[in-house]
Amino acid sequence: MLLDTLDTPIVLAPMAGGPSTPELAAAVSAAGGLGFLAAGYLSATDLADRVRQTRKVTAAPFGVNLFFPSEPSPPERFAAYVTELSRDFPIGDARYDSDDWTAKLDVLIADPVPVVSTTFGCPSVADIERLHAVGTEVWVTVTSVPEALHARTVGADAVIAQGAEAGGHRGSFDDRPEDDSEDALGLLALIQLLVPEMDRPIIAAGGIATGAGMAAALTAGARAVQIGTAFLRCPEAGTAPLVRTAITSQTPTMLTRAFTGRRARGLRNQFMLDHPNAPAAYPEIHYATGPLRAAARAAGDAEQVNLWAGQAHSLAPELPAGELVRQLSRDAKSALERVLSLRIQGY
């Protein structure tokens, strides 16, 4: 397993839509963690370019994350919502695509990377075997025990356990409104449920912003942690200025479908509050709201744009990525040493 070769068990979360850059991935890998490129929203050609760019700036291993394609949404599910938005905002075409899944997979077969992870679903046995054949490990993002068991069954090498605290899109295989009333699992609960069921590594993701948080996840049974929001203020990240400023606030986060049609966690703002019942229709709504989000970013309007961030967002430091990896590692070691020094009655 690639995890066994890392100097520190820190994996960079793949943050699609801007923050993910070759420079950020390279800096995390160079510091002893595992950098990741986000392929979401890129064309296959752009992904191939990003892989080449990353190899130019580091010889260390890195991974690539793919969005597993969802099924098209029936227009009647989202048409009224798009019409409503069009009265007040610039709106794009509410279209469906597969995020170039097949073409991107072909790119990564032709030019392999050490790890490919997936979000929003699990590859088929055939696709996993293709990746294994070129020496690539496959990690699958899961949010529940049944998803993890499915990933194990089809041959995934590891699972990324995403707790409800995580920023950005939920990695669930299905995004069903009827499940919204269920209490989404927090990270520590999810890890504890997965450990007795899994015979392969668990990478913990969600709300980890400090060495102490990292130590907690490792103590619970994770082999590594995946961290995203904490890297948003790094100079190597392609984070929009509006987001860099917003995440330093104490604004709480919430889950919403308002911007993309799929549940995602971001800083609470007026757009989310105004559209609490946005339909489940991804990626159609994502494309429909693209122009309104771009306009809000250009205007510096934090109330009408998605500000994806995890629950511990205000702890994100403004540090170079390599320095942040080293700081998290030192702090995690200190936290683990503190725990070992505790006197626990009866032991």
Side-chain angles (χ1 to χ4, degrees), residues 1-13 28 32-36 115 137 139 157-163 187-188 190-191 194-195 200-206 208 210-211 213-228 231 325 328-329 332 336:
M1 286 292 297
L2 180 59
L3 287 175
D4 297 330
T5 71
L6 300 180
D7 292 335
T8 186
I10 294 175
V11 176
L12 173 67
V28 171
L34 182 65
F36 252 87
V115 181
E137 293 179 14
W139 300 356
D157 300 283
V159 294
I160 301 166
Q162 186 196 48
L187 180 59
L188 285 178
L190 180 58
I191 295 171
L194 289 177
V195 166
R200 56 208 65 194
I202 298 165
I203 297 104
I208 300 171
T210 64
M214 176 177 166
L218 296 174
T219 302
R223 283 275 297 280
V225 297
Q226 180 173 277
I227 301 176
F231 285 95
V325 169
L328 289 167
S329 300
L336 290 168

Side-chain angles (χ1 to χ4, degrees), residues 263-274:
R263 286 215 296 176
R265 183 175 297 282
L267 272 65
R268 187 174 66 194
N269 63 13
Q270 196 59 49
F271 193 88
M272 292 182 182
L273 297 175
D274 287 344

Side-chain angles (χ1 to χ4, degrees), residues 95-106:
R95 61 185 175 85
Y96 170 83
D97 68 23
S98 66
D99 202 52
D100 237 358
W101 166 266
T102 301
K104 288 176 183 176
L105 200 60
D106 288 344

Side-chain angles (χ1 to χ4, degrees), residues 253-300:
T253 64
M254 62 181 285
L255 290 167
T256 183
R257 287 194 184 86
F259 290 108
T260 68
R262 176 179 266 274
R263 286 215 296 176
R265 183 175 297 282
L267 272 65
R268 187 174 66 194
N269 63 13
Q270 196 59 49
F271 193 88
M272 292 182 182
L273 297 175
D274 287 344
H275 304 96
N277 299 312
Y282 179 89
E284 291 86 354
I285 291 174
H286 163 76
Y287 288 116
T289 65
L292 79 83
R293 289 181 281 124
R297 279 192 295 271

